[in-house]
Amino acid sequence: MKLLRDFAERPDPREIHRTVSIEFLCRPLSIQGTNRADSITLARLTGIPQTIPCGLILTAIGQRTRRLPGLPYDTQQSLIPSESHRIERGLYATG
């Protein structure tokens, strides 16, 4: 019963404001929260730290990728080459 009561007391998902933020050229300084992420503090190139409220943190750092059909591929570096994250017109890569 407790599980059902807890579920019934949750806010309507249509009323929850969600955003996605992709942050480039920064590094994490700290993650705040107890039992979950409430915010992350990032070091910017400006030297001024910035704290961003959040509920989920994902990392994408220098992972090697597999060849994908139809896309250019650099076998020496195991990556899809891009210029300013642009692979080709209308196609971008991050991480």
Side-chain angles (χ1 to χ4, degrees), residues 52-94:
I52 302 172
C54 65
L56 177 66
I57 300 168
L58 303 173
T59 61
I61 50 170
Q63 301 296 320
R64 294 187 182 272
T65 188
R66 296 184 205 129
R67 183 183 300 266
L68 297 173
L71 295 181
Y73 188 75
D74 182 331
T75 56
Q76 295 287 57
Q77 298 183 56
S78 299
L79 57 77
I80 298 169
S82 65
E83 191 170 317
S84 298
H85 304 287
R86 182 178 172 172
I87 298 170
E88 56 188 43
R89 184 180 175 94
L91 186 61
Y92 297 84
T94 63

Short mmCIF file of all heavy atoms in Angstrom, two decimals, residues 52-94:
data_model
loop_
_atom_site.label_atom_id
_atom_site.label_comp_id
_atom_site.label_asym_id
_atom_site.label_seq_id
_atom_site.Cartn_x
_atom_site.Cartn_y
_atom_site.Cartn_z
N ILE A 52 24.93 24.16 -11.72
CA ILE A 52 23.71 23.93 -12.49
C ILE A 52 22.84 22.92 -11.74
O ILE A 52 23.30 21.83 -11.42
CB ILE A 52 24.06 23.37 -13.89
CG1 ILE A 52 24.97 24.32 -14.64
CG2 ILE A 52 22.79 23.08 -14.68
CD1 ILE A 52 25.52 23.75 -15.93
N PRO A 53 21.56 23.27 -11.46
CA PRO A 53 20.67 22.29 -10.85
C PRO A 53 20.44 21.12 -11.81
O PRO A 53 20.37 21.31 -13.03
CB PRO A 53 19.36 23.06 -10.64
CG PRO A 53 19.64 24.47 -10.98
CD PRO A 53 20.91 24.53 -11.74
N CYS A 54 20.36 19.91 -11.27
CA CYS A 54 20.15 18.75 -12.14
C CYS A 54 19.60 17.58 -11.34
O CYS A 54 19.61 17.59 -10.12
CB CYS A 54 21.45 18.35 -12.82
SG CYS A 54 22.71 17.78 -11.68
N GLY A 55 19.13 16.58 -12.04
CA GLY A 55 18.68 15.35 -11.42
C GLY A 55 19.38 14.14 -12.00
O GLY A 55 19.27 13.04 -11.48
N LEU A 56 20.11 14.35 -13.09
CA LEU A 56 20.80 13.26 -13.77
C LEU A 56 22.04 13.83 -14.43
O LEU A 56 21.99 14.89 -15.04
CB LEU A 56 19.89 12.64 -14.83
CG LEU A 56 20.48 11.52 -15.69
CD1 LEU A 56 20.77 10.29 -14.84
CD2 LEU A 56 19.50 11.17 -16.80
N ILE A 57 23.14 13.10 -14.32
CA ILE A 57 24.40 13.52 -14.94
C ILE A 57 24.92 12.37 -15.78
O ILE A 57 25.03 11.24 -15.30
CB ILE A 57 25.45 13.89 -13.87
CG1 ILE A 57 24.94 15.05 -13.01
CG2 ILE A 57 26.78 14.24 -14.54
CD1 ILE A 57 25.77 15.28 -11.77
N LEU A 58 25.21 12.64 -17.05
CA LEU A 58 25.78 11.65 -17.94
C LEU A 58 27.13 12.16 -18.43
O LEU A 58 27.28 13.35 -18.67
CB LEU A 58 24.87 11.41 -19.16
CG LEU A 58 23.44 10.98 -18.84
CD1 LEU A 58 22.61 10.95 -20.12
CD2 LEU A 58 23.43 9.63 -18.17
N THR A 59 28.08 11.27 -18.59
CA THR A 59 29.37 11.69 -19.12
C THR A 59 29.55 11.16 -20.53
O THR A 59 29.02 10.11 -20.89
CB THR A 59 30.54 11.18 -18.25
OG1 THR A 59 30.51 9.75 -18.26
CG2 THR A 59 30.44 11.68 -16.84
N ALA A 60 30.27 11.90 -21.32
CA ALA A 60 30.63 11.50 -22.68
C ALA A 60 32.02 12.04 -22.93
O ALA A 60 32.19 13.17 -23.34
CB ALA A 60 29.62 12.04 -23.69
N ILE A 61 33.02 11.23 -22.63
CA ILE A 61 34.38 11.73 -22.69
C ILE A 61 35.28 10.80 -23.49
O ILE A 61 35.60 9.70 -23.06
CB ILE A 61 34.98 11.94 -21.29
CG1 ILE A 61 34.79 10.70 -20.44
CG2 ILE A 61 34.36 13.14 -20.60
CD1 ILE A 61 35.53 10.71 -19.14
N GLY A 62 35.63 11.21 -24.66
CA GLY A 62 36.65 10.55 -25.44
C GLY A 62 36.49 9.07 -25.67
O GLY A 62 37.47 8.33 -25.67
N GLN A 63 35.30 8.60 -25.85
CA GLN A 63 35.10 7.18 -26.10
C GLN A 63 35.46 6.84 -27.54
O GLN A 63 35.18 7.59 -28.47
CB GLN A 63 33.63 6.80 -25.84
CG GLN A 63 33.17 7.09 -24.44
CD GLN A 63 33.90 6.26 -23.40
OE1 GLN A 63 34.17 5.09 -23.60
NE2 GLN A 63 34.25 6.89 -22.28
N ARG A 64 36.08 5.71 -27.73
CA ARG A 64 36.35 5.23 -29.09
C ARG A 64 35.05 4.69 -29.66
O ARG A 64 34.26 4.10 -28.97
CB ARG A 64 37.41 4.14 -29.06
CG ARG A 64 38.75 4.67 -28.61
CD ARG A 64 39.82 3.61 -28.76
NE ARG A 64 41.08 4.10 -28.28
CZ ARG A 64 41.95 4.77 -29.02
NH1 ARG A 64 41.68 5.02 -30.28
NH2 ARG A 64 43.08 5.18 -28.51
N THR A 65 34.85 4.92 -30.93
CA THR A 65 33.61 4.52 -31.56
C THR A 65 33.86 3.41 -32.58
O THR A 65 34.99 3.16 -32.99
CB THR A 65 32.92 5.72 -32.23
OG1 THR A 65 31.64 5.33 -32.68
CG2 THR A 65 33.71 6.23 -33.42
N ARG A 66 32.81 2.77 -32.98
CA ARG A 66 32.87 1.76 -34.03
C ARG A 66 32.53 2.42 -35.37
O ARG A 66 31.87 3.44 -35.42
CB ARG A 66 31.84 0.66 -33.75
CG ARG A 66 32.13 -0.11 -32.50
CD ARG A 66 31.11 -1.25 -32.38
NE ARG A 66 31.00 -1.58 -30.97
CZ ARG A 66 29.87 -1.68 -30.30
NH1 ARG A 66 28.73 -1.49 -30.90
NH2 ARG A 66 29.88 -1.99 -29.04
N ARG A 67 32.98 1.77 -36.42
CA ARG A 67 32.63 2.25 -37.76
C ARG A 67 31.12 2.13 -37.95
O ARG A 67 30.51 1.12 -37.61
CB ARG A 67 33.37 1.39 -38.79
CG ARG A 67 33.13 1.82 -40.22
CD ARG A 67 33.82 0.88 -41.20
NE ARG A 67 35.27 0.85 -40.98
CZ ARG A 67 36.13 1.62 -41.64
NH1 ARG A 67 35.70 2.48 -42.53
NH2 ARG A 67 37.42 1.54 -41.40
N LEU A 68 30.52 3.18 -38.49
CA LEU A 68 29.09 3.18 -38.80
C LEU A 68 28.92 3.27 -40.31
O LEU A 68 29.56 4.11 -40.96
CB LEU A 68 28.38 4.36 -38.12
CG LEU A 68 28.40 4.35 -36.59
CD1 LEU A 68 27.82 5.65 -36.05
CD2 LEU A 68 27.60 3.17 -36.06
N PRO A 69 28.08 2.42 -40.89
CA PRO A 69 27.92 2.42 -42.34
C PRO A 69 27.53 3.79 -42.89
O PRO A 69 26.68 4.47 -42.33
CB PRO A 69 26.78 1.42 -42.57
CG PRO A 69 26.73 0.58 -41.34
CD PRO A 69 27.22 1.45 -40.22
N GLY A 70 28.22 4.21 -43.94
CA GLY A 70 27.89 5.47 -44.61
C GLY A 70 28.59 6.70 -44.03
O GLY A 70 28.41 7.79 -44.56
N LEU A 71 29.36 6.55 -42.95
CA LEU A 71 30.04 7.69 -42.35
C LEU A 71 31.55 7.53 -42.50
O LEU A 71 32.07 6.42 -42.49
CB LEU A 71 29.71 7.80 -40.86
CG LEU A 71 28.27 8.11 -40.51
CD1 LEU A 71 28.12 8.21 -39.00
CD2 LEU A 71 27.81 9.40 -41.16
N PRO A 72 32.27 8.66 -42.61
CA PRO A 72 33.73 8.57 -42.66
C PRO A 72 34.24 8.01 -41.33
O PRO A 72 33.58 8.14 -40.29
CB PRO A 72 34.15 10.03 -42.85
CG PRO A 72 33.01 10.85 -42.37
CD PRO A 72 31.78 10.03 -42.62
N TYR A 73 35.41 7.37 -41.36
CA TYR A 73 35.95 6.76 -40.15
C TYR A 73 37.46 6.82 -40.16
O TYR A 73 38.09 6.48 -41.16
CB TYR A 73 35.48 5.31 -40.04
CG TYR A 73 35.83 4.66 -38.73
CD1 TYR A 73 35.12 4.96 -37.58
CD2 TYR A 73 36.87 3.74 -38.65
CE1 TYR A 73 35.44 4.38 -36.37
CE2 TYR A 73 37.20 3.14 -37.44
CZ TYR A 73 36.47 3.46 -36.31
OH TYR A 73 36.78 2.88 -35.11
N ASP A 74 38.06 7.26 -39.08
CA ASP A 74 39.50 7.33 -38.94
C ASP A 74 39.95 6.08 -38.16
O ASP A 74 39.74 5.98 -36.95
CB ASP A 74 39.89 8.60 -38.17
CG ASP A 74 41.40 8.78 -38.01
OD1 ASP A 74 42.12 7.76 -37.98
OD2 ASP A 74 41.84 9.93 -37.91
N THR A 75 40.54 5.11 -38.88
CA THR A 75 40.93 3.85 -38.25
C THR A 75 42.10 4.03 -37.27
O THR A 75 42.22 3.26 -36.32
CB THR A 75 41.29 2.80 -39.30
OG1 THR A 75 42.31 3.32 -40.15
CG2 THR A 75 40.09 2.42 -40.13
N GLN A 76 42.96 5.03 -37.49
CA GLN A 76 44.10 5.26 -36.60
C GLN A 76 43.64 5.71 -35.21
O GLN A 76 44.21 5.32 -34.21
CB GLN A 76 45.06 6.32 -37.19
CG GLN A 76 45.74 5.89 -38.47
CD GLN A 76 46.81 4.84 -38.19
OE1 GLN A 76 46.55 3.80 -37.62
NE2 GLN A 76 48.02 5.12 -38.58
N GLN A 77 42.62 6.57 -35.18
CA GLN A 77 42.15 7.13 -33.90
C GLN A 77 40.86 6.49 -33.41
O GLN A 77 40.36 6.82 -32.34
CB GLN A 77 41.96 8.64 -34.04
CG GLN A 77 43.25 9.36 -34.37
CD GLN A 77 43.03 10.85 -34.44
OE1 GLN A 77 42.54 11.45 -33.47
NE2 GLN A 77 43.37 11.46 -35.56
N SER A 78 40.29 5.58 -34.22
CA SER A 78 39.03 4.91 -33.88
C SER A 78 37.91 5.92 -33.60
O SER A 78 37.22 5.85 -32.59
CB SER A 78 39.19 3.98 -32.69
OG SER A 78 40.12 2.97 -32.97
N LEU A 79 37.75 6.87 -34.52
CA LEU A 79 36.69 7.85 -34.35
C LEU A 79 36.13 8.30 -35.68
O LEU A 79 36.71 8.07 -36.73
CB LEU A 79 37.19 9.06 -33.54
CG LEU A 79 38.40 9.85 -34.04
CD1 LEU A 79 38.05 10.77 -35.17
CD2 LEU A 79 38.98 10.64 -32.89
N ILE A 80 34.98 8.94 -35.60
CA ILE A 80 34.36 9.55 -36.78
C ILE A 80 34.87 10.98 -36.84
O ILE A 80 34.62 11.76 -35.92
CB ILE A 80 32.82 9.51 -36.67
CG1 ILE A 80 32.34 8.05 -36.61
CG2 ILE A 80 32.18 10.26 -37.82
CD1 ILE A 80 30.89 7.90 -36.24
N PRO A 81 35.63 11.33 -37.87
CA PRO A 81 36.21 12.68 -37.92
C PRO A 81 35.13 13.75 -38.07
O PRO A 81 34.12 13.55 -38.74
CB PRO A 81 37.14 12.64 -39.13
CG PRO A 81 36.66 11.51 -39.96
CD PRO A 81 35.98 10.54 -39.04
N SER A 82 35.37 14.88 -37.41
CA SER A 82 34.44 16.00 -37.51
C SER A 82 35.23 17.29 -37.37
O SER A 82 36.36 17.31 -36.88
CB SER A 82 33.37 15.93 -36.41
OG SER A 82 33.95 16.08 -35.14
N GLU A 83 34.63 18.36 -37.82
CA GLU A 83 35.22 19.69 -37.66
C GLU A 83 34.23 20.53 -36.89
O GLU A 83 33.10 20.74 -37.34
CB GLU A 83 35.50 20.32 -39.03
CG GLU A 83 36.35 21.56 -38.93
CD GLU A 83 36.82 22.03 -40.30
OE1 GLU A 83 37.23 21.18 -41.12
OE2 GLU A 83 36.78 23.24 -40.52
N SER A 84 34.60 20.95 -35.69
CA SER A 84 33.69 21.66 -34.77
C SER A 84 32.43 20.83 -34.52
O SER A 84 31.33 21.36 -34.53
CB SER A 84 33.34 23.05 -35.30
OG SER A 84 34.50 23.84 -35.40
N HIS A 85 32.60 19.53 -34.35
CA HIS A 85 31.53 18.55 -34.08
C HIS A 85 30.64 18.28 -35.28
O HIS A 85 29.66 17.56 -35.17
CB HIS A 85 30.69 18.97 -32.86
CG HIS A 85 31.49 19.17 -31.63
ND1 HIS A 85 32.04 18.13 -30.92
CD2 HIS A 85 31.90 20.29 -30.99
CE1 HIS A 85 32.72 18.59 -29.90
NE2 HIS A 85 32.66 19.91 -29.92
N ARG A 86 30.95 18.85 -36.44
CA ARG A 86 30.15 18.63 -37.64
C ARG A 86 30.81 17.56 -38.50
O ARG A 86 31.94 17.71 -38.93
CB ARG A 86 30.02 19.93 -38.43
CG ARG A 86 29.16 19.80 -39.65
CD ARG A 86 29.03 21.13 -40.36
NE ARG A 86 28.36 20.97 -41.62
CZ ARG A 86 27.97 21.96 -42.36
NH1 ARG A 86 28.21 23.20 -42.00
NH2 ARG A 86 27.37 21.73 -43.51
N ILE A 87 30.09 16.46 -38.73
CA ILE A 87 30.59 15.38 -39.58
C ILE A 87 30.36 15.73 -41.03
O ILE A 87 31.25 15.63 -41.86
CB ILE A 87 29.87 14.05 -39.24
CG1 ILE A 87 30.16 13.66 -37.79
CG2 ILE A 87 30.30 12.95 -40.19
CD1 ILE A 87 29.32 12.53 -37.27
N GLU A 88 29.16 16.15 -41.32
CA GLU A 88 28.79 16.63 -42.65
C GLU A 88 27.53 17.48 -42.48
O GLU A 88 26.99 17.58 -41.38
CB GLU A 88 28.55 15.46 -43.62
CG GLU A 88 27.51 14.48 -43.15
CD GLU A 88 27.43 13.24 -44.02
OE1 GLU A 88 28.46 12.69 -44.42
OE2 GLU A 88 26.30 12.81 -44.30
N ARG A 89 27.07 18.08 -43.54
CA ARG A 89 25.91 18.98 -43.45
C ARG A 89 24.73 18.27 -42.77
O ARG A 89 24.31 17.21 -43.21
CB ARG A 89 25.52 19.46 -44.84
CG ARG A 89 24.39 20.46 -44.84
CD ARG A 89 24.08 20.90 -46.28
NE ARG A 89 22.94 21.75 -46.29
CZ ARG A 89 22.99 23.07 -46.26
NH1 ARG A 89 24.16 23.68 -46.21
NH2 ARG A 89 21.90 23.80 -46.28
N GLY A 90 24.26 18.84 -41.67
CA GLY A 90 23.11 18.30 -40.95
C GLY A 90 23.42 17.12 -40.04
O GLY A 90 22.50 16.56 -39.46
N LEU A 91 24.69 16.74 -39.89
CA LEU A 91 25.05 15.59 -39.07
C LEU A 91 26.18 15.98 -38.12
O LEU A 91 27.26 16.40 -38.57
CB LEU A 91 25.47 14.41 -39.94
CG LEU A 91 25.75 13.11 -39.24
CD1 LEU A 91 24.51 12.60 -38.51
CD2 LEU A 91 26.22 12.06 -40.24
N TYR A 92 25.94 15.86 -36.82
CA TYR A 92 26.90 16.31 -35.80
C TYR A 92 27.22 15.18 -34.83
O TYR A 92 26.45 14.24 -34.66
CB TYR A 92 26.32 17.51 -35.03
CG TYR A 92 26.08 18.69 -35.92
CD1 TYR A 92 24.92 18.80 -36.67
CD2 TYR A 92 27.05 19.67 -36.06
CE1 TYR A 92 24.72 19.89 -37.51
CE2 TYR A 92 26.86 20.76 -36.89
CZ TYR A 92 25.70 20.86 -37.62
OH TYR A 92 25.50 21.91 -38.45
N ALA A 93 28.38 15.29 -34.17
CA ALA A 93 28.80 14.32 -33.18
C ALA A 93 29.29 15.04 -31.93
O ALA A 93 29.84 16.13 -32.02
CB ALA A 93 29.91 13.45 -33.73
N THR A 94 29.07 14.44 -30.78
CA THR A 94 29.61 14.97 -29.52
C THR A 94 30.17 13.80 -28.72
O THR A 94 29.92 12.65 -29.01
CB THR A 94 28.54 15.66 -28.68
OG1 THR A 94 27.56 14.71 -28.31
CG2 THR A 94 27.91 16.81 -29.42
#
